[in-house]
Every structure is written in structure tokens, then in C-alpha cells.
């Protein structure tokens, strides 16, 4: 007799996407991603999506980075302006996605 199948357990995980201006007069920006703990078991079990997410650092504009993150399933939860010197700002985005959890 077949065992009843248990639906996968999911959990919401967060990351921080930071957009930094490269140069004062440049439209290009650095995109930095932070997943928190390096040994998060949820991220280890979902390595393919993590590797896809890391590709966001190849983008140079805020809109490109956010569109890419959205296309692979991340959602913006909060945008945080981070004041820098001389009135400029960096922006940090807290983003979330549902992941399958290890059993």
C-alpha cells in the first residue's frame, strides 16, 4: 500500500538587496545581496534559486535589479533609504520568498 504523500513544508525567507551608486556622476550602480547566515539549511536545500538570485549583482540599475528579482519570485517587503555623505542615498530593499524546507 502506498504511503500518503505529505505536502512540502514551506517557509518564508528574507534577503536584503542593496543598491549603491558607483560614482557620483554615474548612472551605473552596484547591486549587493545579503542572505544572512551562510549555513542556512533552507538556502542549502534550494541552491538553484540562490544561484539564480546571485545573478542580480550583474545588473547596473535599480529597476533592472528589482525586475529581475521579481521575475524569479522575490517580493519587496520594505525599501529603506540609507543616507550617505553630502546628501546622497543608498537604498536597501528587504525582500521575501517562500522556500521548501528540508525535512
Amino acid at each position: 500500500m502506498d504511503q500518503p504523500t505529505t505536502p512540502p513544508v514551506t517557509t518564508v525567507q528574507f534577503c536584503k538587496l542593496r543598491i549603491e551608486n558607483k560614482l557620483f556622476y554615474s548612472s551605473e550602480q552596484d547591486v549587493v545581496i545579503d542572505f544572512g547566515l551562510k549555513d542556512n539549511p533552507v538556502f542549502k536545500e534550494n541552491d538553484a534559486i540562490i544561484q539564480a538570485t546571485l545573478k542580480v549583482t550583474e545588473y547596473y540599475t535599480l529597476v533592472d535589479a528589482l525586475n529581475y528579482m521579481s521575475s524569479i519570485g522575490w517580493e519587496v517587503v520594505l525599501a529603506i533609504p540609507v543616507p550617505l555623505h553630502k546628501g546622497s542615498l543608498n537604498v536597501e530593499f528587504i525582500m521575501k520568498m517562500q522556500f521548501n524546507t528540508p525535512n
Side-chain angles (χ1 to χ4, degrees):
M1 187 154 80
D2 290 333
Q3 293 285 339
T5 57
T6 307
V9 178
T10 60
T11 185
V12 174
Q13 295 291 298
F14 295 88
C15 74
K16 179 172 63 174
L17 179 72
R18 187 172 68 239
I19 308 295
E20 300 175 345
N21 290 323
K22 281 188 173 186
L23 299 170
F24 185 71
Y25 293 107
S26 174
S27 63
E28 287 189 4
Q29 299 169 316
D30 279 330
V31 178
V32 180
I33 192 92
D34 179 359
F35 294 108
L37 296 174
K38 289 183 180 182
D39 59 350
N40 184 331
V42 174
F43 289 150
K44 286 181 181 178
E45 289 289 318
N46 294 277
D47 188 60
I49 192 66
I50 298 308
Q51 294 307 313
T53 301
L54 288 171
K55 290 181 181 181
V56 74
T57 60
E58 298 171 10
Y59 290 87
Y60 294 110
T61 71
L62 168 62
V63 173
D64 286 340
L66 289 174
N67 283 337
Y68 176 74
M69 293 292 281
S70 175
S71 76
I72 61 172
W74 289 95
E75 297 176 51
V76 174
V77 176
L78 181 66
I80 306 164
V82 179
L84 299 174
H85 56 86
K86 298 182 183 177
S88 63
L89 291 173
N90 281 348
V91 181
E92 294 181 350
F93 294 88
I94 304 301
M95 304 187 82
K96 71 176 183 176
M97 180 188 274
Q98 273 201 313
F99 286 89
N100 292 330
T101 58
N103 294 330

